[in-house]
Amino acid sequence: MLVKQNYYNYPKLNIYQVFLLNLLTQIVFLMKYIYLLLLSLSGICLLAQDFNTTLYYNPYANINWTGINQYKANLHTHTTHSDGFHDPHEVIDFYFHANYKILALSDHNLITYPWTKLDSINPTYENRNPISLDMLDVQGNELSASHHTGSLINTIAGDGANLDSALHVMDSINSLGIFYHPGRYWKIDSIYQSNQIYSPDWYVSHLQNHPKIAGLEVHNQGNRYPNDRILWDILLLRMMPHRNIWGFSNDDMHYCPDDCFKSYNIMLMDILNLSNFRNAIDNGAFFFAYEENGDGNSLVPSIDSIVVDEINKSISLYANNYIKINWISGIEGSDSLRKSKIIDSTAVFYYDSLTTPYVRAEIINYHGKIYTQAFSFCTKYSENLIDTICSGDTLFMHGNAYHQSGFYYDTLQSIYQCDSIINIELFVYPVTNVQFS
C-alpha cells in the first residue's frame, strides 16, 4: 500500500490568490502528466506487473516411464468382520479375479489382518496367502467414531473417538492416513463459521497439523459424493504449493458387485512391495480412476507417460483411449453453484501464464475418467512503479518511508509462499515558494 503524507499548512488566501494558485496547480499537473507520458513513450514502464511461474513440485518427477508398473489398488474395503456382506477371503478373491494387485481391508474400528491368519479372527474365515496371489496386502482400519479416517500401514486400533489424539499417534508411528468420504461431512450448500467442524478451515488445520494424512477420497463408492472434488480444489487452492494433498478413489466396498470396481487407484511402482507402495503414496506417484459401470476390466483411459518441460513450461500427457482432457485449477461460481474450474483442454498444458498454485488433469472417455495428482507452482510477481512527490512529502511503501529521489525495492511473501518484488523509482520535486501581493 502506498501512502503519501504532507506536513504543510497553507495560509488562508483571497479569491484572486485562490484562482492563481489553482491555475498554477493545473499547469504543474499538466506538465507532470506530459512528462510521464513522454517517459512511457520512450519505453519506461510506469506501472507494470510481471510474473514468473515456476514448477514447485511434480509428483511424477522420479518415474521411469519405460519400466514402471501400474498396479490397481483399493484402499477402503469392508468384510463381515464389521458391516460388510462378504467374508474377508471372499472379498480378497473378488479383487484378485478383477486383476487388483493391492488391497486394504479396512473394517470399521477393527483390523482384519494378516491374510494368512484370518481364521484366528473367525474360524469360518479362510486364510489367503498374498504372495501366492501376487498381491500386496495392506493393513487397514477405518476409524469411525468421528470423521471416518483410514489408518493404513502401522495401523492403530480402536475407533478414533478423539480424532486429534488418534492422528497424533498415527504421525508418531508413521501410519498412513486418508480422510474417507468427506462429502458425508462437508456440504457445499452450508455456510461455515471460521474453524467450524468440517469446514474447509477444519480440513486445512488438520492437514497442516498431521503430515501423515496423505489426502482425501474424491471418489467414494463410485460417485456417491460428487462435490468431494470441489472440496479438494478448495483445499489445493489454499494449501499448495507448501502442502501436497493427494486425491484417492476407493470402492468403500460392502457388497459386491454393487460396490465393486468403480473407484480405484493406479499405483506407479517398479516392484510390488510395501516400501514402494508407501513411497508412491508419499510422493503422489499414482493416478486414480472412476468407472461408472466398472467390472474389473479397466475401460477408462490409460496414461503412458507425463513429460514436464521446465524450460518451455509445459506438461505433456501421453494417454490412450480418451476423447477429452481437462486441466483443472481453482473454483468458479459461488455458494452451492461452485464447481471445479477448467482452464485448458489440450494434451499439452503451458503453465507460463498460470497464477494459481496448482493444476491437475482429468482424462475422459465414455466409460469414465482417470485423474492425475496435482502439480504445484510458485508464481513470483515483480511490480515496477514510478511515482513523484514534492519535497517535504513522504511516500510510505509497506511500512517503509521514503522522501528522497532514488530506486527502492521491497520483497513480499505471497499467500502461496513465493516471494514477490516491488520496485519503485521515486522522483522528489523541490517546492517553489510563491508570494502574492
Side-chain angles (χ1 to χ4, degrees):
M1 180 178 181
L2 304 179
V3 180
K4 299 177 184 178
Q5 184 169 333
N6 192 294
Y7 298 99
Y8 286 95
N9 294 315
Y10 295 100
K12 294 183 179 180
L13 305 175
N14 61 41
I15 189 170
Y16 301 106
Q17 293 172 330
V18 171
F19 173 78
L20 291 174
L21 184 59
N22 285 337
L23 180 60
L24 180 61
T25 301
Q26 295 297 324
I27 293 173
V28 170
F29 274 105
L30 179 61
M31 293 175 63
K32 174 182 176 181
Y33 287 124
I34 292 174
Y35 168 73
L36 294 177
L37 178 61
L38 291 174
L39 282 178
S40 67
L41 292 176
S42 66
I44 298 177
C45 183
L46 301 180
L47 174 59
Q49 188 179 70
D50 301 321
F51 62 88
N52 178 33
T53 299
T54 57
L55 181 70
Y56 189 88
Y57 187 79
N58 170 12
Y60 309 105
N62 297 320
I63 298 299
N64 178 7
W65 295 102
T66 59
I68 202 69
N69 293 305
Q70 301 194 18
Y71 296 125
K72 287 179 67 175
N74 184 55
L75 307 177
H76 188 176
T77 324
H78 296 283
T79 76
T80 53
H81 195 200
S82 60
D83 63 344
F85 284 85
H86 308 283
D87 290 342
H89 61 274
E90 295 177 305
V91 172
I92 294 169
D93 291 345
F94 290 149
Y95 283 93
F96 168 74
H97 291 297
N99 298 312
Y100 280 69
K101 291 295 185 179
I102 303 169
L103 182 65
L105 302 180
S106 55
D107 281 303
H108 293 284
N109 311 319
L110 296 167
I111 299 175
T112 310
Y113 188 87
W115 293 6
T116 54
K117 296 181 180 180
L118 294 174
D119 60 357
S120 66
I121 299 173
N122 186 321
T124 66
Y125 294 167
E126 299 177 13
N127 297 328
R128 290 291 183 268
N129 187 337
I131 296 176
S132 64
L133 296 174
D134 193 25
M135 294 182 72
L136 179 63
D137 55 335
V138 177
Q139 186 184 52
N141 174 19
E142 182 172 1
L143 309 176
S144 305
S146 54
H147 192 304
H148 289 203
T149 302
S151 174
L152 310 179
I153 309 175
N154 302 325
T155 301
I156 65 171
D159 61 3
N162 186 324
L163 184 59
D164 282 320
S165 295
L167 295 179
H168 280 300
V169 173
M170 289 171 59
D171 291 336
S172 67
I173 64 174
N174 199 31
S175 184
L176 167 65
I178 303 172
F179 280 136
Y180 285 158
H181 44 66
R184 182 179 296 184
Y185 315 101
W186 175 78
K187 303 298 180 183
I188 193 171
D189 55 356
S190 295
I191 299 175
Y192 292 97
Q193 303 298 318
S194 179
N195 296 314
Q196 182 179 344
I197 188 170
Y198 307 143
S199 66
D201 287 343
W202 184 90
Y203 285 96
V204 167
S205 174
H206 282 74
L207 289 166
Q208 285 177 336
N209 294 331
H210 301 290
K212 298 307 176 183
I213 297 294
L216 62 156
E217 284 182 338
V218 297
H219 272 288
N220 170 275
Q221 210 170 94
N223 196 26
R224 184 159 57 150
Y225 301 104
N227 292 327
D228 283 349
R229 270 94 65 203
I230 298 175
L231 175 62
W232 187 32
D233 284 313
I234 291 172
L235 298 177
L236 290 172
L237 197 61
R238 290 185 57 174
M239 302 194 72
M240 294 290 248
H242 61 286
R243 206 316 187 170
N244 293 320
I245 309 167
W246 308 133
F248 292 84
S249 180
N250 293 312
D251 276 338
D252 191 1
M253 197 282 288
H254 290 75
Y255 177 75
C256 205
D258 291 7
D259 302 340
C260 285
F261 318 137
K262 296 177 177 61
S263 306
Y264 50 92
N265 307 282
I266 302 171
M267 314 306 298
L268 304 178
M269 302 158 54
D270 53 359
I271 299 174
L272 185 66
N273 59 41
L274 191 63
S275 176
N276 287 339
F277 169 74
R278 181 59 189 259
N279 287 336
I281 295 288
D282 288 344
N283 296 327
F286 63 102
F287 310 127
F288 60 92
Y290 163 62
E291 194 171 334
E292 183 176 3
N293 299 307
D295 59 5
N297 289 317
S298 300
L299 300 178
V300 299
S302 61
I303 299 176
D304 291 335
S305 64
I306 299 175
V307 177
V308 177
D309 183 343
E310 295 190 52
I311 296 176
N312 294 311
K313 299 190 176 183
S314 66
I315 306 173
S316 300
L317 284 178
Y318 295 91
N320 297 302
N321 189 31
Y322 72 92
I323 60 174
K324 189 176 184 180
I325 293 176
N326 287 333
W327 295 91
I328 308 294
S329 187
I331 297 292
E332 59 184 355
S334 59
D335 302 326
S336 62
L337 299 178
R338 285 173 288 179
K339 60 181 181 180
S340 300
K341 185 176 182 179
I342 300 172
I343 61 172
D344 197 6
S345 295
T346 61
V348 181
F349 173 72
Y350 291 91
Y351 59 83
D352 55 325
S353 60
L354 185 71
T355 57
T356 48
Y358 77 97
V359 72
R360 60 181 183 85
E362 301 176 354
I363 304 96
I364 305 164
N365 68 11
Y366 294 111
H367 299 284
K369 301 179 180 181
I370 187 170
Y371 300 75
T372 71
Q373 299 298 338
F375 300 79
S376 64
F377 301 90
C378 190
T379 302
K380 298 181 179 180
Y381 290 90
S382 178
E383 188 171 27
N384 301 308
L385 303 173
I386 292 178
D387 206 347
T388 61
I389 59 175
C390 293
S391 178
D393 291 351
T394 300
L395 177 69
F396 291 96
M397 182 174 71
H398 300 285
N400 297 313
Y402 305 103
H403 53 270
Q404 294 181 347
S405 296
F407 293 91
Y408 304 98
Y409 73 93
D410 195 6
T411 301
L412 307 176
Q413 191 176 63
S414 77
I415 61 173
Y416 304 131
Q417 312 298 312
C418 304
D419 289 344
S420 296
I421 297 175
I422 294 180
N423 301 298
I424 185 165
E425 183 177 8
L426 180 63
F427 294 93
V428 178
Y429 292 108
V431 174
T432 301
N433 295 321
V434 179
Q435 296 181 352
F436 297 96
S437 59

